[in-house]
Amino acid sequence: MVVNLCLGCLYAWSVWVKYLTDKNLMEAQGWIPLTAEQASNPASLCILIFALLMIPGGRIQDRYGPTIAASIGGLAIGLGLLVAGLMKSYTGILLGFGIGGGIGMGVGYAAPTPAALKWFGPHRRGLIAGLVVSGYGLAAFYVAPLANWLITSYSMSASFYVLGAAYLVIILIAAQFLAWPEPGCVPPQPSAAVVAAKASTQTRADWTAGEMLKTWQFYALVIMFCINTQAGLLLIGHVNKMIAGIMKAVYLLVSWGAIFNSVGRIGTGIISDKIGRTNGLIVNYIAAAVIMFLLPYLFGIKNIPLLFLACAVGFWCYGGGLSLFPSFTADFYGPKNLGFNYGLVFIGWGLGAFMPKLAGRIYDRYQSYDYAFYIAGVLLIAGIILALVTKRPRCAAE
């Protein structure tokens, strides 16, 4: 959780978007102000690199252990943020946050969840995955006000310097405590009744990546992950700018969202252990779709309490996907090769990065995010249909 509390600074990016597009502040600090689309690009690049590096990151975790993977991640994101602050330019942020941060998140994030799931039986996958990744979702709770204070009190560069140095140290220390169970250790197993109930949804085999790629369900998981992600990243990437004309302390909404992003991972994980992954995902899809279609109206009437409530639901649903899809992957393809297999499924999360960029372009053209919300809502409805037809694959061993 500590590793993820550092890597999750991505979710506070809307704070940087607000100030990177502030012409007066950026020029006063020696930076060139960016357009909304430009300011979104470092986060979009980070998300893409993050998703792609989850694959080799998962392989490193599976082969060399979680300590090595997490340490590499800490070095990459820490040094990347320092580079972003030092270069004081659009290119510097793309290199430092987009590429360096993406490498750090991809390799570092691949370590904690697969390692943690090895310590627990299959009936606890949702809960454990939710607990581990809740740290990533909660990061914006402290990063948003801290970055806001550093930028306005000191400088844009200071926000990157402080976080970069802190993450470099904290992640390297926390990584030393990650470990697999001892050889021969058998985690607590569910009762016979639970095993029988979950037999149709959880495999008894361990699929290799090659075997997984031959099943259509893998591609369905990738698409469903993308659909879940795009709606959440729309809020994460732009919510600070969306509410800037309604309230002054805009970072409070980012911190508020972080709480529900985090709690949604644990809550959805627990719920999915009870009612099944597919049912848990469909419930989140429905709730998120309703919120996407409501948000243009709520921003229009400028009702702050309702906006906070709607964003809470949106962040919960997004965060829930980050506990559902590692659990889906283990249920469908087994825990042995989970690091690498989930790295491949995680491509779907990276593909969701198109939405923050699209939303930035829509805003630059129309000075409104309404069309982005409607597109996100329609995609969530499509996700419900896909989830209903996606069942776990069967192999010869079963």
Side-chain angles (χ1 to χ4, degrees), residues 119-146:
W119 291 85
F120 298 89
H123 59 308
R124 291 287 184 265
R125 280 174 183 156
L127 170 61
I128 301 307
L131 284 169
V132 174
V133 301
S134 67
Y136 197 97
L138 190 60
F141 178 76
Y142 76 89
V143 175
L146 177 59

Side-chain angles (χ1 to χ4, degrees), residues 34-96:
L34 307 180
T35 66
E37 182 180 359
Q38 286 177 324
S40 301
N41 286 339
S44 296
L45 178 60
C46 179
I47 291 166
L48 179 61
I49 299 296
F50 181 175
L52 293 176
L53 266 292
M54 274 285 288
I55 300 171
R59 178 67 80 190
I60 292 170
Q61 194 280 151
D62 288 344
R63 183 168 296 181
Y64 302 108
T67 294
I68 297 296
S71 297
I72 294 172
L75 287 169
I77 191 171
L79 295 175
L81 289 173
L82 293 174
V83 166
L86 182 65
M87 292 184 67
K88 297 180 68 172
S89 66
Y90 177 49
T91 300
I93 300 176
L94 287 173
L95 291 174

Side-chain angles (χ1 to χ4, degrees), residues 147-368:
N148 186 82
W149 175 70
L150 289 169
I151 293 168
T152 55
S153 299
Y154 296 94
S155 68
M156 177 64 68
S157 292
S159 67
F160 293 120
Y161 290 148
V162 171
L163 291 174
Y167 292 167
L168 195 61
V169 174
I170 294 171
I171 295 177
L172 287 177
I173 293 173
Q176 309 314 307
F177 293 90
L178 292 173
W180 293 331
E182 294 293 329
C185 173
V186 178
Q189 296 297 304
S191 66
V194 172
V195 171
K198 294 184 178 294
S200 64
T201 59
Q202 295 181 346
T203 184
R204 296 191 302 274
D206 286 303
W207 299 58
T208 65
E211 292 169 336
M212 180 181 71
L213 290 171
K214 293 177 182 178
T215 66
W216 68 265
Q217 288 90 340
F218 162 74
Y219 302 96
L221 288 179
V222 171
I223 294 170
M224 289 190 295
F225 207 169
C226 175
I227 290 172
N228 186 86
T229 299
Q230 55 88 29
L233 292 183
L234 168 58
L235 288 176
I236 289 166
H238 293 275
V239 72
N240 213 328
K241 190 174 182 65
M242 290 173 184
I243 204 167
I246 302 174
M247 58 181 288
K248 291 183 179 180
V250 292
Y251 64 87
L252 291 176
L253 183 56
V254 180
S255 295
W256 168 263
I259 295 173
F260 288 90
N261 188 349
S262 178
V263 173
R265 297 168 190 235
I266 302 171
T268 300
I270 294 172
I271 292 169
S272 75
D273 283 338
K274 301 294 184 182
I275 68 173
R277 313 292 178 223
T278 299
N279 290 334
L281 179 62
I282 290 173
V283 168
N284 278 10
Y285 273 161
I286 293 171
V290 170
I291 293 303
M292 289 298 113
F293 289 119
L294 276 178
L295 279 172
Y297 170 73
L298 295 180
F299 277 111
I301 65 174
K302 300 181 180 181
N303 187 307
I304 293 177
L306 287 179
L307 281 170
F308 269 66
L309 178 61
C311 287
V313 176
F315 277 97
W316 170 292
C317 296
Y318 167 76
L322 275 299
S323 67
L324 282 171
F325 285 95
S327 301
F328 262 124
T329 308
D331 288 350
F332 280 21
Y333 303 108
K336 181 179 179 181
N337 303 307
L338 182 59
F340 190 56
N341 288 350
Y342 181 52
L344 290 167
V345 172
F346 200 78
I347 290 172
W349 184 87
L351 294 175
F354 80 89
M355 181 52 79
K357 184 174 176 63
L358 175 62
R361 181 168 295 181
I362 289 172
Y363 183 83
D364 285 338
R365 181 169 181 178
Y366 299 104
Q367 297 300 296
S368 169

